[in-house]
Amino acid sequence: MKRWAIWTLVWLGIASAGAVTGFLLYIGNALQPMPSSDEVKRVGYPPGTSIIALSAELEKQGLIRSGRAFTWYLKWKKQGGKFQAGEYEMNPGITPGQIIEKLNLGQTVKEDTLRLTVPEGFTVRQVAEKLQADAVDASSFLTAASQYKGNPVRLSRKFRVTRRSGYGSRGIFFRRRMNGRRM
């Protein structure tokens, strides 16, 4: 009877060691970076998104091999609590550590924006010329401006700006104080 108990314990030990080894090999393989590529992938991480949903998105985009393994890795490393919401660009081949670093530092994509100051009195053509200098197609701007069907009176009503209030249409663009109140 003792011999049977000893062999049972030996086989249970071997099976346990095999299961642990298999699990570690699975996790190790699942956390290997994907093959490198120059293709940039965009990943959105909206506020309130769970780590499980983020891991699934990373897997769907081809940035990680297994979302479940990445989730386990995050929990094991005690990461994910400082991830910053935003839109991220990542290349396949990035390591899980680099993904975590990007998300912790909030290295989000900066949207392509153009800051334009239009001096008072500029005509539509002058604005188009200024846009052309900033590498924006002036003809598309002129087309959009010529197709504008807005009514300045309706615009003033929408923003509750009247001549009686002392603001006129300029009140839409410039905040002024009137009787101690801000509009």
Side-chain angles (χ1 to χ4, degrees):
M1 190 87 131
K2 276 186 166 182
R3 192 176 254 178
W4 179 80
I6 292 173
W7 279 109
T8 303
L9 288 175
V10 167
W11 283 112
L12 282 175
I14 291 171
S16 297
V20 168
T21 302
F23 177 75
L24 292 176
L25 286 174
Y26 167 74
I27 294 294
N29 184 46
L31 292 177
Q32 291 296 315
M34 295 295 283
S36 292
S37 170
D38 291 335
E39 182 184 1
V40 176
K41 304 281 186 162
R42 252 193 150 149
V43 178
Y45 182 53
T49 303
S50 70
I51 293 174
I52 295 170
L54 172 66
S55 298
E57 178 66 21
L58 290 170
E59 182 178 8
K60 183 177 144 190
Q61 292 287 338
L63 295 166
I64 58 174
R65 295 181 188 272
S66 168
R68 179 175 286 164
F70 187 71
T71 302
W72 289 338
Y73 182 70
L74 289 174
K75 290 180 181 180
W76 181 62
K77 289 284 203 173
K78 296 181 178 145
Q79 293 291 325
K82 295 181 183 177
F83 286 176
Q84 297 181 29
E87 194 82 17
Y88 292 86
E89 283 185 351
M90 300 179 197
N91 294 0
I94 189 171
T95 66
Q98 291 170 323
I99 292 172
I100 292 169
E101 183 179 354
K102 266 186 178 267
L103 293 167
N104 277 333
L105 295 176
Q107 296 174 345
T108 58
V109 176
K110 305 299 180 209
E111 293 297 321
D112 294 333
T113 57
L114 172 68
R115 179 173 227 126
L116 177 70
T117 304
V118 179
E120 189 174 345
F122 257 39
T123 64
V124 173
R125 285 207 185 282
Q126 289 172 317
V127 172
E129 289 169 6
K130 191 166 185 163
L131 285 170
Q132 188 73 34
D134 289 332
V136 174
D137 184 28
S139 61
S140 63
F141 172 76
L142 288 171
T143 303
S146 67
Q147 293 174 350
Y148 177 68
K149 303 274 190 234
N151 183 344
V153 173
R154 199 176 304 150
L155 185 65
S156 295
R157 285 185 191 144
K158 179 179 179 181
F159 290 101
R160 295 185 181 150
V161 177
T162 62
R163 294 197 187 280
R164 203 171 79 187
S165 69
Y167 283 91
S169 60
R170 284 189 55 183
I172 295 171
F173 305 108
F174 301 99
R175 292 182 161 232
R176 291 194 271 165
R177 291 191 179 274
M178 182 173 171
N179 298 334
R181 292 186 2 226
R182 285 194 87 136
M183 190 157 157

